[in-house]
């Protein structure tokens, strides 16, 4: 048996929660909804709140698709949207501002307002964001000024920019009824710059990281407020010793484990538990005890560069989120949550050097063209947990077992775990993922001494923590009158229906689920779908896993509570919407969004999709094509199978050379096909896609399939040829010598070959109760 890990929580102090430095920065809108702060967490309508923030750069995506993508973000569990306003995207030529089309900030703000979506604007002047010059237009460098400083001439330019932005966002502040809750001024100020691509003579020339510290941020704030940009609070990127004003600014942190800026990157410490409220992960210029721990740039992926091509696994995104939550973070923000494409400028491309000219996919949960990645499901499952139980977690103190914060990143033997608790109730967090290190499954047994009594995980013997997995296990929680002493299943979400509180857990692969419940809290128990053993003062319940199984509990005070234990796969397919007048849990094997009181169901590549609904609709369900859809009862759920007529896109592929492919499309897409995606597997260095002679997108090869969504160029496809081109990957030796000029000779093999080019239809149908029409 493995060594028992023990922790006495009765001897630990609780964090002191008070107003802190952000206490005066909240506010309410005309509807009476509010946001606020303590020194430890954010509040929403005066309740503790752990928001999920998702970065989506509006100007890197087609404005025709913004609403749909925002709805996908909502369905994915994002509570707050963040976006950059890149100066050089809007004033590429001095004095000529462009706020049209996909640069239309006002339209994006209005869509957020329409969807009741809080918004954080990051307005520069310096933004970075992997754009040319960090967002500073080229023409600025022709002036004798010091950027990112209190140089009066630079401040004049900042004033003009802020006034233009203020015109676009007029009336959009939260306190005025709009969506904008916060504004970030500058970015990584006094910490780092960006490549100076305007200089151009050689690589490695960087912009200044800035001068003037808090005095410069104070000037930018004064200029912004004079222009009418007066949000409830400002934010500041606070890592790397960056400048952070003491009042009115929420310091925001970053966490990246797969980076192109560290050659031969060693394992990071991002997966080691810390108490970030008490001891910051790195030196910062503010008192961490006076502010909530907030992350605005936790890696949702990573942009591939020419010189470094990291792949970010979905396991890492999920594990880092759980480690930061366990370590005290009470705001999790993903950079990027939604990727996109750089617009092409009037004078050239607007990318940062060594990066793709157009593609900014970022391997993010939602990628270029709206690609849905594996991490989308991971983040959503964690967001559902925070939505239902975040108000319980937010005030809880981080407690580290001895030695946890000193574990080496390369250590594969030590059990990585910590606790967040409040008055004896809380959550045990375990992590068995580490970047750049292979981890093995880990037997464990954890015993806690709490003010509510002893707890062990599992109740008897030991359990197994799977490799590359993060787990959250509850203890001593009151769930609507059920006294849950412990569980080896992870809490997911809850909904009230038909007089019952239905609580959804899920079982991790290899971790046997059990619930230990105090007998005194129950008057009846129905374990038809499971086994129960009775002890002197508690029951140990071992459930059957699956959405069609459940356990019914009646509490001593008369509440009816039901536990449903989903499989890991079902948990990654679950959504929660307000639909048809009630909170509705959806389990779908394809992506879904809620729009106009309909459930819009998508099916990439498959001509059928199964959708399970709870509470079960009270009337028959129909589709937007007029079909009535039968259902199958599966426990609490009604499952609807939606079938489509299979469609095979008509595409002709010719190869003028091994490294080129010409694609001709024919025929209209049927109405139930919402998009067609190209999936391209190739070997080579870099690939580009041209339509009508213009670069549509590009791809630096990093070992994964290249995907291109076509719906935005659908009307051009039938009259045009799509050209795919590969730059060969060289394997061999380059010899350099001088003969009147520098000469290169390559000896070796050039690799450029297409292995698969396939057009994948994405089907779509809307589902709603027949009584609705």
């Amino acid at each position: 048996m493995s060594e028992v890990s023990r922790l006495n929580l009765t001897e630990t102090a609780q964090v002191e929660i008070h107003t802190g430095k952000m206490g005066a920065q909240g506010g309410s809108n005309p509807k009476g909804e509010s946001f606020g702060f303590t020194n430890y967490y954010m509040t929403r309508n005066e309740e503790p709140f752990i928001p999920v923030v998702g970065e989506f750069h509006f100007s890197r995506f087609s404005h025709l698709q913004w609403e749909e993508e925002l709805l996908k973000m909502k369905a994915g569990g994002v509570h707050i949207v963040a976006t950059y306003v890149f100066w050089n995207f809007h004033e590429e030529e001095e004095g000529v501002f462009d706020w049209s089309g996909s640069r239309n900030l006002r339209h994006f703000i209005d869509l957020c307002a329409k969807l009741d979506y809080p918004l954080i604007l990051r307005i520069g002047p310096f933004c970075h964001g992997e754009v040319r010059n960090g967002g500073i237009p080229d023409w600025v460098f022709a002036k004798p000024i010091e950027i990112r400083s209190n140089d009066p001439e630079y401040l004049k330019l900042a004033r003009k920019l802020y006034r233009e932005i203020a015109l676009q966002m007029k009336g959009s502040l939260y306190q005025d009824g709009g969506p904008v809750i916060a504004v970030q001024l500058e970015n990584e100020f006094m910490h780092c710059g960006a490549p100076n691509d305007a200089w151009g003579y050689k690589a490695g020339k960087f912009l200044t990281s800035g001068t003037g510290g808090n005095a410069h941020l104070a000037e930018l704030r004064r200029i912004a407020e004079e222009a009418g940009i007066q949000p409830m609070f400002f934010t500041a990127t606070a890592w790397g010793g960056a400048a952070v004003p003491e009042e009115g600014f929420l310091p925001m942190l970053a966490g990246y484990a797969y980076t192109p800026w560290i050659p031969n990157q060693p394992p990071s410490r991002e997966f080691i538990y810390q108490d970030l409220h008490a001891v910051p992960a790195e030196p910062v210029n503010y008192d961490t005890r006076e502010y909530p721990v907030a992350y605005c740039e936790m890696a949702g992926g990573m942009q591939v560069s020419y010189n470094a091509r990291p792949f970010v696994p979905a396991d890492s995104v999920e594990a880092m989120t759980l480690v930061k939550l366990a370590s005290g973070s009470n705001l999790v923000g993903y950079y990027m949550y939604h990727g996109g494409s750089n617009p092409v400028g009037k004078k050239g491309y607007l990318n940062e050097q060594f990066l793709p000219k157009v593609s900014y996919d970022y391997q993010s949960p939602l990628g270029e063209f709206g690609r849905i990645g594996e991490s989308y499901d991971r983040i959503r499952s964690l967001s559902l947990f925070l939505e239902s139980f975040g108000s319980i977690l937010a005030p809880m103190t981080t407690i580290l077992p001895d030695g946890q914060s000193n574990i080496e990143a390369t250590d594969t033997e030590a059990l990585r775990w910590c606790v967040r608790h409040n008055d004896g109730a809380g959550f045990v967090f375990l992590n068995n993922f580490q970047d750049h290190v292979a981890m093995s499954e880990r037997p464990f047994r954890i015993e806690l001494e709490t003010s509510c009594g002893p707890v062990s995980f599992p109740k008897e013997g030991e359990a197994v923590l799977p490799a590359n997995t993060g787990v959250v296990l509850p203890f001593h929680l009151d769930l609507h009158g059920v006294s849950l002493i412990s569980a080896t299943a992870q809490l997911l979400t809850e909904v009230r229906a038909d007089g019952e509180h239905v609580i959804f857990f899920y079982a991790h692969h290899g971790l046997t689920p059990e619930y230990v419940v105090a007998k005194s809290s129950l008057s009846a128990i129905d374990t038809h779908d499971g086994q129960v053993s009775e002890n002197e003062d508690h029951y140990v319940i071992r459930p059957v896993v699956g959405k069609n199984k459940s356990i019914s509990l009646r509490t001593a005070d008369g509440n009816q509570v039901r536990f449903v234990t989903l499989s890991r796969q079902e948990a990654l397919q679950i959504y929660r919407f307000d639909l048809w007048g009630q909170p509705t849990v959806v389990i779908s094997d394809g992506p879904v969004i809620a729009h106009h009181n309909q459930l819009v169901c998508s099916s990439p590549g498959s001509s059928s999709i199964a959708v399970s609904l709870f509470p079960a609709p009270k009337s028959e369900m129909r589709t937007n094509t007029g079909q009535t859809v039968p259902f199958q009862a599966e426990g609490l759920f009604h499952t609807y199978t939606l079938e489509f007529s299979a469609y095979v896109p008509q595409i002709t592929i010719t190869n003028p050379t091994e490294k080129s492919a010409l694609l001709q499309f024919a025929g209209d897409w049927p109405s139930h096909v919402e998009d067609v995606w190209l999936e391209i597997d190739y070997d080579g260095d870099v690939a580009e896609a041209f339509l009508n002679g213009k670069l549509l997108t590009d791809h630096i090869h990093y070992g994964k399939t290249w995907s291109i969504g076509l719906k935005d160029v659908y009307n051009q496809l039938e009259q045009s040829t799509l050209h795919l081109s590969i730059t060969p990957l060289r394997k061999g030796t380059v010899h350099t010598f001088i003969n009147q000029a520098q000469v290169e000779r390559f000896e070796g093999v050039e690799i450029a070959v297409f292995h698969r080019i396939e057009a994948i239809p994405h089907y779509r149908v809307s589902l709603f109760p027949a009584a609705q029409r």
Side-chain angles (χ1 to χ4, degrees):
M1 182 171 174
S2 61
E3 181 182 348
V4 178
S5 301
R6 295 185 174 89
L7 186 59
N8 188 344
L9 297 178
T10 65
E11 299 175 352
T12 60
Q14 297 292 135
V15 69
E16 179 187 347
I17 298 177
H18 54 269
T19 56
K21 294 294 186 181
M22 293 295 294
Q25 302 307 311
S28 61
N29 65 14
K31 293 189 289 187
E33 301 163 331
S34 67
F35 288 102
F37 292 94
T38 71
N39 68 317
Y40 203 60
Y41 51 79
M42 197 172 181
T43 64
R44 180 177 59 181
N45 300 327
E46 300 184 353
E47 290 291 321
F49 175 46
I50 303 180
V52 174
V53 181
E55 188 94 8
F56 175 31
H57 299 157
F58 66 96
S59 53
R60 281 172 155 158
F61 211 87
S62 169
H63 65 286
L64 300 175
Q65 316 300 336
W66 283 346
E67 184 169 8
E68 178 180 350
E69 298 309 304
L70 288 169
L71 287 168
K72 283 160 70 174
M73 292 177 70
K74 268 205 162 187
V78 172
H79 303 117
I80 300 170
V81 181
T83 193
Y84 271 135
V85 181
F86 294 115
W87 185 4
N88 58 352
F89 283 16
H90 299 284
E91 195 186 7
E92 190 178 357
E93 297 176 325
E94 184 174 7
V96 182
F97 278 88
D98 185 355
W99 300 102
S100 65
S102 297
R103 292 173 168 87
N104 192 335
L105 172 60
R106 181 73 213 192
H107 179 39
F108 187 77
I109 291 172
D110 287 345
L111 282 175
C112 289
K114 173 186 175 181
L115 300 176
D116 196 24
Y117 223 157
L119 177 63
I120 298 173
L121 294 179
R122 307 174 79 183
I123 66 173
F126 176 84
C127 291
H128 202 182
E130 290 76 59
V131 303
R132 184 176 175 87
N133 310 323
I136 306 291
D138 281 32
W139 55 263
V140 172
F141 299 97
K143 299 179 180 296
I145 62 175
E146 184 68 25
I147 66 168
R148 308 182 77 184
S149 79
N150 280 344
D151 181 329
E153 295 303 311
Y154 177 70
L155 294 178
K156 282 183 183 179
L157 297 178
R159 182 179 295 108
K160 185 174 74 167
L161 172 66
Y162 283 4
R163 285 177 175 175
E164 286 283 339
I165 293 172
L167 285 174
Q168 300 300 312
M169 58 181 290
K170 188 174 182 180
S172 68
L173 296 174
Y174 185 77
Q175 57 269 36
D176 297 330
V180 179
I181 62 171
V183 170
Q184 179 184 303
L185 306 176
E186 248 283 345
N187 187 65
E188 299 180 315
F189 181 61
M190 302 289 290
H191 165 54
C192 75
N196 188 339
D197 292 308
W199 194 67
Y201 295 103
K202 71 168 187 174
K205 182 74 172 177
F206 268 67
L207 304 180
T208 174
S209 63
T211 59
N214 288 347
H216 178 55
L217 292 179
E219 276 298 294
L220 291 181
R221 177 176 181 173
R222 181 185 63 79
I223 292 168
E225 290 180 335
E226 283 181 353
I229 302 173
Q230 300 176 2
M232 287 190 297
F233 62 98
F234 291 93
T235 71
T237 47
W239 56 88
V244 179
E246 188 172 352
E247 300 291 342
F249 284 74
L250 176 65
M252 306 282 264
L253 301 173
Y256 294 102
Y258 298 84
T259 64
W261 54 81
I262 302 177
N264 303 313
Q265 184 177 346
S268 75
R269 294 191 57 78
E270 300 294 345
F271 301 94
I272 305 297
Y273 292 114
Q274 314 281 335
D275 182 355
L276 294 170
H277 191 68
V279 182
E282 59 178 305
V284 293
N285 287 321
Y286 62 96
D287 183 353
T288 57
R289 295 180 184 273
E290 291 297 316
Y291 302 87
V293 178
Y295 275 79
C296 68
E297 289 197 18
M298 203 159 57
M302 179 50 64
Q303 182 71 334
V304 175
S305 76
Y306 188 80
N307 296 324
R309 310 183 184 197
F311 164 65
V312 182
D315 287 341
S316 74
V317 178
E318 181 177 19
M320 189 185 295
T321 303
L322 289 174
V323 168
K324 300 311 179 189
L325 285 169
S327 299
S329 178
N330 279 331
L331 182 153
V332 289
Y334 295 96
Y335 190 102
M336 294 289 295
Y337 184 87
H338 199 312
S341 308
N342 291 320
V344 178
K346 298 175 182 178
K347 299 181 181 298
Y349 296 107
L350 294 170
N351 63 298
E352 183 177 291
Q353 61 187 249
F354 307 130
L355 300 180
K357 297 173 184 175
V358 172
S359 177
Y360 197 67
D361 180 80
Y362 213 86
Q363 305 174 55
S364 48
L366 295 174
E368 191 180 21
F369 308 108
R371 171 196 53 75
I372 294 177
E374 187 181 348
S375 56
Y376 178 76
D377 296 331
R378 308 293 187 91
I379 291 171
R380 187 181 64 253
S381 68
L382 297 177
S383 177
L384 286 170
F385 164 69
L386 294 177
E387 186 68 33
S388 292
F389 306 104
S391 60
I392 299 172
L393 176 63
M396 290 181 171
T397 304
T398 294
I399 303 297
L400 298 174
D402 288 344
Q404 280 295 316
S405 61
N406 297 320
I407 290 176
E408 293 295 330
T410 53
D411 188 337
T412 61
E413 299 299 322
L415 180 67
R416 303 182 185 194
W417 69 290
C418 82
V419 172
R420 282 187 72 171
H421 86 113
N422 188 16
D423 293 333
F427 299 90
V428 171
F429 291 79
L430 299 101
N431 172 46
N432 198 19
F433 178 90
Q434 175 64 55
D435 63 286
H436 301 90
V437 172
M439 305 291 278
S440 302
E441 67 176 29
R442 179 71 159 75
F444 73 92
R445 177 174 177 78
I446 292 174
E447 297 179 355
L448 305 178
E449 193 64 46
T450 81
S451 58
C452 299
V455 179
S456 60
F457 300 90
K459 182 62 181 173
E460 302 291 342
E462 65 181 19
V464 174
L465 180 63
N468 302 317
T469 300
V471 178
V472 187
L473 305 178
F475 63 91
H476 286 313
L477 294 188
D478 183 337
L479 299 177
H480 305 290
V482 175
S483 179
L484 181 66
I485 298 172
S486 66
T488 55
Q490 187 160 321
L491 272 169
L492 184 58
T493 189
E494 65 176 352
V495 67
R496 181 170 173 80
D498 299 326
E500 279 190 326
H501 297 281
V502 181
I503 303 173
F504 293 87
F505 297 77
Y506 74 92
H508 282 273
H509 297 305
L511 186 56
T512 303
E514 69 174 19
Y515 305 110
V516 181
V517 180
K519 291 174 79 172
S520 61
S521 68
L522 301 182
S523 62
I525 179 171
D526 179 358
T527 55
H528 181 266
D529 293 326
Q531 298 177 342
V532 61
S533 59
E534 185 174 353
N535 294 275
E536 183 178 347
D537 59 356
H538 64 268
Y539 298 106
V540 179
I541 303 167
R542 293 178 176 84
V544 176
V545 174
K547 68 177 184 292
N548 57 342
K549 305 293 183 182
S550 64
I551 293 167
S552 180
L553 308 168
R554 189 165 192 83
T555 68
D557 53 7
N559 284 336
Q560 195 69 33
V561 180
R562 188 177 297 271
F563 287 3
V564 180
T565 311
L566 301 178
S567 68
R568 167 74 163 170
Q569 180 180 2
E570 290 168 335
L572 295 177
Q573 295 175 338
I574 196 169
Y575 300 75
R576 190 178 186 275
F577 301 108
D578 287 328
L579 274 173
W580 314 309
Q582 62 188 6
T584 300
V585 171
V586 180
I587 298 177
S588 171
D589 56 14
V592 295
I593 60 174
H595 192 38
H596 296 319
N597 213 31
Q598 301 176 80
L599 187 68
V600 184
C601 310
S602 300
S603 182
S606 174
S607 58
S608 69
I609 180 174
V611 178
S612 301
L613 304 177
F614 172 76
K618 300 207 172 10
S619 65
E620 65 182 13
M621 299 296 285
R622 301 189 67 185
T623 68
N624 60 317
T625 59
Q627 296 176 308
T628 299
V629 187
F631 69 86
Q632 179 179 350
E634 295 185 315
L636 302 177
F637 288 86
H638 282 183
T639 296
Y640 302 82
T641 300
L642 308 171
E643 303 280 354
F644 311 97
S645 297
Y647 169 67
V648 179
Q650 300 175 45
I651 177 173
T652 302
I653 304 173
T654 57
N655 297 94
T657 68
E658 192 174 49
K659 64 183 181 181
S660 293
L662 300 178
L663 281 62
Q664 294 269 189
F665 296 83
D668 295 331
W669 301 348
S671 60
H672 61 284
V673 172
E674 179 263 342
D675 200 355
V676 171
W677 281 67
L678 286 179
E679 292 187 356
I680 305 149
D681 291 322
Y682 71 97
D683 282 329
D685 193 17
V686 173
E688 297 173 307
F690 296 92
L691 187 64
N692 292 329
K694 295 182 179 179
L695 182 62
L696 175 65
T697 189
D698 50 347
H699 184 263
I700 294 176
H701 193 279
Y702 66 105
K704 301 299 173 182
T705 295
W706 181 24
S707 299
I708 305 174
L710 297 176
K711 69 179 176 183
D712 206 39
V713 295
Y714 171 59
N715 289 333
Q716 303 174 49
L717 289 177
E718 199 166 7
Q719 293 79 33
S720 307
T721 298
L722 185 66
H723 174 206
L724 306 179
S725 175
I726 303 173
T727 300
L729 176 66
R730 286 180 164 183
K731 291 192 174 181
T733 304
V734 175
H735 300 280
T736 303
F737 58 94
I738 305 297
N739 182 3
Q740 314 305 329
Q742 181 169 304
V743 179
E744 284 189 355
R745 294 284 186 265
F746 172 69
E747 293 180 359
V749 177
E750 289 190 333
I751 301 170
V753 59
F754 291 100
H755 297 295
R756 178 177 70 101
I757 301 174
E758 187 175 1
I760 308 294
H762 285 219
Y763 303 93
R764 170 171 289 196
V765 69
S766 295
L767 191 64
F768 53 87
Q772 190 169 294
R773 290 193 179 178

